[in-house]
Short mmCIF file of all heavy atoms in Angstrom, two decimals:
data_model
loop_
_atom_site.label_atom_id
_atom_site.label_comp_id
_atom_site.label_asym_id
_atom_site.label_seq_id
_atom_site.Cartn_x
_atom_site.Cartn_y
_atom_site.Cartn_z
N LEU A 25 -13.78 3.69 -8.44
CA LEU A 25 -12.89 3.04 -7.48
C LEU A 25 -11.69 2.45 -8.21
O LEU A 25 -11.83 1.83 -9.27
CB LEU A 25 -13.63 1.94 -6.72
CG LEU A 25 -14.86 2.37 -5.92
CD1 LEU A 25 -15.41 1.19 -5.14
CD2 LEU A 25 -14.53 3.52 -4.97
N ARG A 26 -10.51 2.60 -7.62
CA ARG A 26 -9.27 2.08 -8.18
C ARG A 26 -8.58 1.22 -7.12
O ARG A 26 -8.36 1.66 -6.00
CB ARG A 26 -8.34 3.23 -8.58
CG ARG A 26 -8.96 4.21 -9.60
CD ARG A 26 -9.01 3.61 -10.98
NE ARG A 26 -9.46 4.56 -11.99
CZ ARG A 26 -8.88 4.72 -13.18
NH1 ARG A 26 -7.83 3.97 -13.49
NH2 ARG A 26 -9.36 5.58 -14.05
N THR A 27 -8.24 0.00 -7.48
CA THR A 27 -7.66 -0.95 -6.54
C THR A 27 -6.27 -0.51 -6.10
O THR A 27 -5.41 -0.24 -6.94
CB THR A 27 -7.58 -2.35 -7.16
OG1 THR A 27 -8.88 -2.77 -7.55
CG2 THR A 27 -7.01 -3.35 -6.17
N LEU A 28 -6.06 -0.46 -4.79
CA LEU A 28 -4.74 -0.14 -4.26
C LEU A 28 -3.85 -1.38 -4.24
O LEU A 28 -4.34 -2.51 -4.16
CB LEU A 28 -4.88 0.43 -2.84
CG LEU A 28 -5.42 1.86 -2.77
CD1 LEU A 28 -5.92 2.18 -1.37
CD2 LEU A 28 -4.33 2.85 -3.19
N PRO A 29 -2.53 -1.19 -4.30
CA PRO A 29 -1.61 -2.35 -4.27
C PRO A 29 -1.79 -3.19 -3.02
O PRO A 29 -2.22 -2.71 -1.97
CB PRO A 29 -0.23 -1.69 -4.31
CG PRO A 29 -0.45 -0.36 -4.95
CD PRO A 29 -1.82 0.08 -4.50
N ALA A 30 -1.43 -4.46 -3.13
CA ALA A 30 -1.67 -5.43 -2.06
C ALA A 30 -0.99 -5.03 -0.76
O ALA A 30 -1.55 -5.22 0.33
CB ALA A 30 -1.21 -6.82 -2.50
N ASP A 31 0.22 -4.47 -0.83
CA ASP A 31 0.91 -4.12 0.41
C ASP A 31 0.22 -2.96 1.11
O ASP A 31 0.17 -2.91 2.35
CB ASP A 31 2.38 -3.81 0.15
CG ASP A 31 2.58 -2.62 -0.78
OD1 ASP A 31 1.76 -2.43 -1.69
OD2 ASP A 31 3.57 -1.88 -0.58
N ILE A 32 -0.34 -2.02 0.33
CA ILE A 32 -1.09 -0.92 0.93
C ILE A 32 -2.39 -1.44 1.54
O ILE A 32 -2.79 -1.04 2.64
CB ILE A 32 -1.39 0.16 -0.11
CG1 ILE A 32 -0.10 0.72 -0.70
CG2 ILE A 32 -2.24 1.28 0.50
CD1 ILE A 32 0.75 1.49 0.27
N GLN A 33 -3.04 -2.36 0.83
CA GLN A 33 -4.26 -2.99 1.36
C GLN A 33 -3.97 -3.61 2.73
O GLN A 33 -4.72 -3.41 3.69
CB GLN A 33 -4.75 -4.09 0.41
CG GLN A 33 -5.20 -3.61 -0.94
CD GLN A 33 -6.70 -3.41 -1.01
OE1 GLN A 33 -7.43 -3.71 -0.08
NE2 GLN A 33 -7.15 -2.88 -2.12
N ALA A 34 -2.88 -4.36 2.81
CA ALA A 34 -2.54 -5.04 4.06
C ALA A 34 -2.25 -4.04 5.17
O ALA A 34 -2.67 -4.22 6.32
CB ALA A 34 -1.34 -5.96 3.84
N SER A 35 -1.56 -2.96 4.84
CA SER A 35 -1.25 -1.94 5.85
C SER A 35 -2.51 -1.26 6.35
O SER A 35 -2.67 -1.00 7.55
CB SER A 35 -0.29 -0.90 5.27
OG SER A 35 0.96 -1.46 4.96
N LEU A 36 -3.44 -0.95 5.43
CA LEU A 36 -4.69 -0.30 5.83
C LEU A 36 -5.55 -1.22 6.68
O LEU A 36 -6.28 -0.75 7.56
CB LEU A 36 -5.46 0.16 4.59
CG LEU A 36 -4.86 1.36 3.87
CD1 LEU A 36 -5.51 1.56 2.51
CD2 LEU A 36 -4.99 2.63 4.71
N GLN A 37 -5.48 -2.51 6.44
CA GLN A 37 -6.21 -3.45 7.31
C GLN A 37 -5.72 -3.34 8.75
O GLN A 37 -6.47 -3.57 9.69
CB GLN A 37 -6.02 -4.89 6.82
CG GLN A 37 -6.64 -5.20 5.47
CD GLN A 37 -8.15 -5.29 5.48
OE1 GLN A 37 -8.78 -5.25 6.54
NE2 GLN A 37 -8.74 -5.42 4.30
N GLY A 38 -4.47 -2.90 8.92
CA GLY A 38 -3.90 -2.78 10.26
C GLY A 38 -4.11 -1.44 10.91
O GLY A 38 -3.80 -1.28 12.09
N GLY A 39 -4.62 -0.45 10.17
CA GLY A 39 -4.87 0.84 10.78
C GLY A 39 -4.74 1.99 9.81
O GLY A 39 -4.36 1.80 8.65
N PHE A 40 -5.04 3.18 10.30
CA PHE A 40 -5.10 4.37 9.46
C PHE A 40 -4.09 5.41 9.90
O PHE A 40 -4.38 6.60 9.93
CB PHE A 40 -6.51 4.97 9.50
CG PHE A 40 -7.51 4.18 8.72
CD1 PHE A 40 -8.08 3.05 9.25
CD2 PHE A 40 -7.86 4.55 7.44
CE1 PHE A 40 -9.00 2.30 8.54
CE2 PHE A 40 -8.77 3.82 6.70
CZ PHE A 40 -9.34 2.69 7.25
N ASP A 41 -2.88 4.97 10.21
CA ASP A 41 -1.87 5.92 10.63
C ASP A 41 -1.47 6.80 9.44
O ASP A 41 -1.65 6.44 8.27
CB ASP A 41 -0.64 5.20 11.20
CG ASP A 41 0.02 4.31 10.16
OD1 ASP A 41 -0.46 3.17 10.00
OD2 ASP A 41 0.96 4.77 9.51
N LEU A 42 -0.95 7.97 9.75
CA LEU A 42 -0.64 8.96 8.72
C LEU A 42 0.39 8.45 7.72
O LEU A 42 0.33 8.78 6.53
CB LEU A 42 -0.16 10.25 9.38
CG LEU A 42 -1.21 10.99 10.23
CD1 LEU A 42 -0.60 12.23 10.87
CD2 LEU A 42 -2.41 11.38 9.40
N ARG A 43 1.32 7.64 8.18
CA ARG A 43 2.35 7.13 7.26
C ARG A 43 1.72 6.23 6.20
O ARG A 43 2.04 6.33 5.01
CB ARG A 43 3.42 6.36 8.04
CG ARG A 43 4.54 5.81 7.17
CD ARG A 43 5.60 5.12 7.99
NE ARG A 43 6.22 6.04 8.95
CZ ARG A 43 7.15 5.66 9.83
NH1 ARG A 43 7.55 4.42 9.89
NH2 ARG A 43 7.66 6.55 10.65
N THR A 44 0.82 5.34 6.62
CA THR A 44 0.16 4.45 5.66
C THR A 44 -0.69 5.24 4.68
O THR A 44 -0.68 4.98 3.46
CB THR A 44 -0.71 3.42 6.40
OG1 THR A 44 0.12 2.61 7.25
CG2 THR A 44 -1.45 2.52 5.43
N LEU A 45 -1.43 6.23 5.17
CA LEU A 45 -2.24 7.05 4.28
C LEU A 45 -1.37 7.84 3.31
O LEU A 45 -1.74 8.04 2.14
CB LEU A 45 -3.12 7.99 5.08
CG LEU A 45 -4.35 7.36 5.72
CD1 LEU A 45 -5.06 8.38 6.61
CD2 LEU A 45 -5.31 6.82 4.68
N SER A 46 -0.21 8.29 3.77
CA SER A 46 0.70 9.01 2.89
C SER A 46 1.18 8.10 1.77
O SER A 46 1.26 8.52 0.60
CB SER A 46 1.88 9.55 3.69
OG SER A 46 2.80 10.20 2.84
N ARG A 47 1.49 6.85 2.09
CA ARG A 47 1.91 5.90 1.05
C ARG A 47 0.79 5.66 0.06
O ARG A 47 1.01 5.63 -1.16
CB ARG A 47 2.33 4.57 1.70
CG ARG A 47 3.66 4.62 2.44
CD ARG A 47 3.94 3.28 3.09
NE ARG A 47 4.03 2.22 2.09
CZ ARG A 47 3.68 0.95 2.32
NH1 ARG A 47 3.20 0.61 3.52
NH2 ARG A 47 3.80 0.06 1.37
N ALA A 48 -0.44 5.51 0.57
CA ALA A 48 -1.58 5.28 -0.32
C ALA A 48 -1.81 6.51 -1.21
O ALA A 48 -2.16 6.38 -2.40
CB ALA A 48 -2.82 4.97 0.49
N SER A 49 -1.62 7.69 -0.64
CA SER A 49 -1.84 8.93 -1.39
C SER A 49 -0.80 9.15 -2.48
O SER A 49 -1.02 9.94 -3.41
CB SER A 49 -1.84 10.13 -0.45
OG SER A 49 -2.87 10.05 0.50
N SER A 50 0.34 8.48 -2.35
CA SER A 50 1.42 8.69 -3.32
C SER A 50 1.10 8.10 -4.69
O SER A 50 1.76 8.43 -5.68
CB SER A 50 2.73 8.09 -2.80
OG SER A 50 2.66 6.67 -2.75
N PHE A 51 0.08 7.23 -4.77
CA PHE A 51 -0.31 6.64 -6.04
C PHE A 51 -1.32 7.54 -6.75
O PHE A 51 -2.29 8.00 -6.13
CB PHE A 51 -0.93 5.26 -5.83
CG PHE A 51 0.05 4.23 -5.34
CD1 PHE A 51 0.23 4.02 -3.99
CD2 PHE A 51 0.79 3.47 -6.23
CE1 PHE A 51 1.15 3.07 -3.52
CE2 PHE A 51 1.69 2.52 -5.79
CZ PHE A 51 1.87 2.32 -4.42
N ASN A 52 -1.11 7.77 -8.01
CA ASN A 52 -2.09 8.50 -8.83
C ASN A 52 -3.25 7.57 -9.11
O ASN A 52 -3.08 6.54 -9.77
CB ASN A 52 -1.44 8.95 -10.13
CG ASN A 52 -2.39 9.75 -11.01
OD1 ASN A 52 -3.60 9.77 -10.78
ND2 ASN A 52 -1.85 10.40 -12.01
N ALA A 53 -4.43 7.91 -8.60
CA ALA A 53 -5.59 7.02 -8.73
C ALA A 53 -5.87 6.68 -10.19
O ALA A 53 -6.29 5.56 -10.50
CB ALA A 53 -6.82 7.65 -8.09
N GLU A 54 -5.60 7.62 -11.09
CA GLU A 54 -5.93 7.40 -12.50
C GLU A 54 -5.09 6.29 -13.12
O GLU A 54 -5.43 5.78 -14.19
CB GLU A 54 -5.74 8.70 -13.29
CG GLU A 54 -6.44 9.92 -12.70
CD GLU A 54 -7.94 9.77 -12.61
OE1 GLU A 54 -8.53 9.18 -13.52
OE2 GLU A 54 -8.53 10.26 -11.62
N THR A 55 -3.98 5.93 -12.47
CA THR A 55 -3.11 4.88 -13.03
C THR A 55 -3.36 3.51 -12.42
O THR A 55 -2.77 2.53 -12.86
CB THR A 55 -1.63 5.26 -12.80
OG1 THR A 55 -1.34 5.22 -11.38
CG2 THR A 55 -1.32 6.65 -13.34
N LEU A 56 -4.22 3.43 -11.41
CA LEU A 56 -4.49 2.17 -10.74
C LEU A 56 -5.59 1.39 -11.45
O LEU A 56 -6.43 1.98 -12.15
CB LEU A 56 -4.89 2.43 -9.28
CG LEU A 56 -3.82 3.07 -8.39
CD1 LEU A 56 -4.42 3.49 -7.04
CD2 LEU A 56 -2.65 2.10 -8.16
N PRO A 57 -5.66 0.05 -11.26
CA PRO A 57 -6.70 -0.75 -11.93
C PRO A 57 -8.10 -0.34 -11.49
O PRO A 57 -8.36 -0.10 -10.31
CB PRO A 57 -6.38 -2.18 -11.48
CG PRO A 57 -4.96 -2.15 -11.05
CD PRO A 57 -4.71 -0.78 -10.51
N ILE A 58 -9.01 -0.27 -12.45
CA ILE A 58 -10.39 0.11 -12.17
C ILE A 58 -11.13 -1.07 -11.53
O ILE A 58 -10.99 -2.22 -11.96
CB ILE A 58 -11.11 0.53 -13.46
CG1 ILE A 58 -10.45 1.77 -14.06
CG2 ILE A 58 -12.59 0.80 -13.21
CD1 ILE A 58 -10.99 2.16 -15.41
N VAL A 59 -11.92 -0.77 -10.50
CA VAL A 59 -12.81 -1.77 -9.90
C VAL A 59 -14.09 -1.80 -10.74
O VAL A 59 -14.76 -0.77 -10.89
CB VAL A 59 -13.13 -1.43 -8.44
CG1 VAL A 59 -14.08 -2.47 -7.84
CG2 VAL A 59 -11.85 -1.34 -7.62
N THR A 60 -14.43 -2.95 -11.26
CA THR A 60 -15.59 -3.07 -12.15
C THR A 60 -16.79 -3.68 -11.43
O THR A 60 -16.72 -4.02 -10.24
CB THR A 60 -15.22 -3.93 -13.37
OG1 THR A 60 -14.79 -5.22 -12.92
CG2 THR A 60 -14.11 -3.28 -14.19
N ASP A 61 -17.90 -3.80 -12.14
CA ASP A 61 -19.11 -4.50 -11.67
C ASP A 61 -19.88 -3.76 -10.59
O ASP A 61 -20.59 -4.37 -9.80
CB ASP A 61 -18.78 -5.91 -11.17
CG ASP A 61 -18.14 -6.77 -12.25
OD1 ASP A 61 -18.50 -6.58 -13.44
OD2 ASP A 61 -17.27 -7.60 -11.92
N SER A 62 -19.75 -2.43 -10.52
CA SER A 62 -20.54 -1.62 -9.57
C SER A 62 -20.52 -2.22 -8.16
O SER A 62 -21.54 -2.63 -7.63
CB SER A 62 -21.99 -1.50 -10.06
OG SER A 62 -22.04 -0.89 -11.32
N PRO A 63 -19.36 -2.28 -7.54
CA PRO A 63 -19.26 -2.90 -6.22
C PRO A 63 -20.05 -2.14 -5.16
O PRO A 63 -20.27 -0.94 -5.27
CB PRO A 63 -17.77 -2.86 -5.92
CG PRO A 63 -17.28 -1.69 -6.70
CD PRO A 63 -18.09 -1.67 -7.96
#
């Protein structure tokens, strides 16, 4: 798991419209912070 930026988190809390998912998809997961501690 890789943590998404705060603004994307907030947008996803509001819904799963295609525009929001497209913004989330634009981030390379390998470059995002790793979620630790086996959540």
Side-chain angles (χ1 to χ4, degrees):
L25 301 184
R26 303 286 186 135
T27 301
L28 286 163
D31 62 325
I32 300 293
Q33 295 264 355
S35 295
L36 288 168
Q37 294 287 353
F40 286 81
D41 62 276
L42 295 178
R43 181 178 299 178
T44 298
L45 283 174
S46 177
R47 288 178 60 211
S49 298
S50 68
F51 292 91
N52 182 347
E54 309 299 323
T55 67
L56 296 171
I58 297 173
V59 179
T60 58
D61 301 326
S62 300

